[in-house]
Amino acid sequence: MSKTTPWILVSVALALAACAGAEVREEDSVEGAVLGLMRQTCLANEGDGRIEACRRVVRAKPEDAEAEAQLGALLVKAGQLPEGIAHLNRSLQRLPDQPQTLVTLAEALDQRGDKESAAQAYRSALAKLPDRTDLRLELAVLLRKLKLKDEAVAELSTAVQRDPKSAAAWAQLSLTLAQANRLAEGIEAGQKAVELQPQDANARSNLGLFLSSADRLPEAIEQLAKAVELDAGNATAHYNLGLVYTRADDLELAARAYVQALALKEDFPQAHHNLAVVLMGMGICKWSKEHFDRSHELGVRSAQIVLDQYKKVCEPPPPADPNAPADPGAPAAPAAAAPAAKPAT
């Protein structure tokens, strides 16, 4: 649209008003026509100048809740969160039944870090849009962050009841149940997610970890190996597979998985540390020390039991010299224990 187009439209509007015999002052007609064009620009789905157009409309007509909501949404999108949130709230005060404005407000509050208020805005939006599974998932994620796991489980249970074919909802329910120490239910939900979306590497990886926690190691390895196959460039998938191989005491395969994770993500602190532990268990002390050192550089703190085991395996004290003179202050060697008697038959 050229810069002169609005004024052409204004002229047309004035001409139509004259034909209709309207008795209005010219300056009022011009201002009204311009304001109408500003509102049209403000509410458009795209285009330049929308924020300024909305500002002008809201200043002239503060009761226009739709324009105020649009101004708030545009400001949020532009990263101007405080001002955008203020306009969204004012719009909702004038017109409370705006579910999309509530959703935009929830997203903005979450971006700002006000998760409690964001969760409340999502709750209000869901009261008006109960079939929006995506909103329930967003709310559930916030509830988990707020440590409201029971409410998160309730929301996700509602989501899978309303939308039983949503693999994402089942996957989120699985994760939330596992975090709430309801592991058996979490595994069932995770299996449902994988059944609905077998190509979802992340769902398979989570299911594998839950199966490992339940000591179902062969099933866990199967799921995690499939996750790696589906997403071979994902360092975390290889790392998770290494965790379960370590738990299964298959140190060679665990080492391979950690090495692959590090090939994809060189500065992976826990992968360095766990590889060091596995190498120590295999007696490969030089490489173990290198990976311990690197993990410590990256901020990992080894448990004392791990450090003690490394010293025992890789830094044993030198053997005593049999020709060295006896230490007079040393305690006497204990007498050899008598062999245990066989149990009576």
Side-chain angles (χ1 to χ4, degrees), residues 165-184:
K165 293 186 178 181
S166 172
W170 282 107
Q172 287 292 328
L173 178 59
S174 172
L175 178 61
T176 308
L177 286 166
Q179 291 181 350
N181 297 319
R182 295 164 63 175
L183 188 58

Side-chain angles (χ1 to χ4, degrees), residues 35 45 50 61 89 100 131 139 173 182 208 220 235 275 312 316 339:
L35 192 61
N45 292 327
R50 287 184 295 163
K61 298 182 68 176
N89 278 320
Q100 188 53 50
D131 293 327
L139 174 57
L173 178 59
R182 295 164 63 175
L275 177 57
K312 179 180 178 181

Side-chain angles (χ1 to χ4, degrees), residues 43 73 77 81 107 123 130 137 152 156 160 214 216 252 307 313:
L43 299 179
K77 187 176 181 180
L81 294 179
E107 294 169 347
R123 291 186 190 103
L137 299 189
L156 291 165
V160 297
R216 295 163 61 173
E252 183 176 346
L307 298 175
V313 172

Side-chain angles (χ1 to χ4, degrees), residues 174-247:
S174 172
L175 178 61
T176 308
L177 286 166
Q179 291 181 350
N181 297 319
R182 295 164 63 175
L183 188 58
E185 296 170 85
I187 288 172
E188 288 183 12
Q191 290 170 330
K192 186 67 176 177
V194 168
E195 176 187 328
L196 288 167
Q197 186 57 269
Q199 303 305 308
D200 187 339
N202 190 57
R204 284 189 181 273
S205 190
N206 283 341
L207 175 57
L209 292 176
F210 302 154
L211 288 164
S212 173
S213 296
D215 289 324
R216 295 163 61 173
L217 298 182
E219 295 171 82
I221 290 170
E222 179 184 357
Q223 292 296 336
L224 289 161
K226 184 64 176 177
V228 166
E229 180 183 328
L230 290 168
D231 193 4
N234 187 332
T236 302
H238 291 277
Y239 172 78
N240 289 340
L241 181 58
L243 288 177
V244 181
Y245 277 134
T246 303
R247 184 163 184 163

Side-chain angles (χ1 to χ4, degrees), residues 20-164:
E23 296 182 0
V24 292
R25 294 183 303 168
E26 181 178 355
E27 58 271 24
D28 291 340
S29 299
V30 170
E31 180 61 27
V34 169
L35 192 61
L37 289 171
M38 291 296 101
R39 190 175 193 276
Q40 186 177 2
T41 299
C42 165
L43 299 179
N45 292 327
E46 57 184 18
D48 297 331
R50 287 184 295 163
I51 288 179
E52 290 309 313
C54 288
R55 286 190 197 281
R56 181 163 180 179
V57 173
V58 169
R59 282 197 299 268
K61 298 182 68 176
E63 73 280 4
D64 191 335
E66 186 179 7
E68 185 131 45
Q70 175 76 333
L71 176 56
L74 291 170
L75 288 167
V76 167
K77 187 176 181 180
Q80 301 177 44
L81 294 179
E83 186 184 358
I85 289 169
H87 283 290
L88 292 168
N89 278 320
R90 279 201 290 269
S91 175
L92 287 165
Q93 288 170 3
R94 297 190 182 97
L95 192 61
D97 294 328
Q98 299 181 81
Q100 188 53 50
T101 302
L102 283 166
V103 173
T104 305
L105 177 61
E107 294 169 347
L109 289 167
D110 189 16
Q111 287 181 52
R112 194 175 68 176
D114 187 351
K115 301 195 181 305
E116 290 184 0
S117 298
Q120 187 53 49
Y122 274 124
R123 291 186 190 103
S124 299
L126 280 165
K128 304 174 189 304
L129 301 169
D131 293 327
R132 285 282 300 274
T133 300
D134 59 320
L135 298 184
R136 288 196 191 277
L137 299 189
E138 293 291 344
L139 174 57
V141 170
L142 280 174
L143 293 171
R144 280 207 308 268
K145 292 176 181 177
L146 292 167
K147 302 190 183 304
L148 299 173
K149 294 176 184 176
D150 289 342
E151 187 182 350
V153 168
E155 289 293 348
L156 291 165
S157 296
T158 299
V160 297
Q161 288 168 7
R162 288 180 172 273
D163 189 4

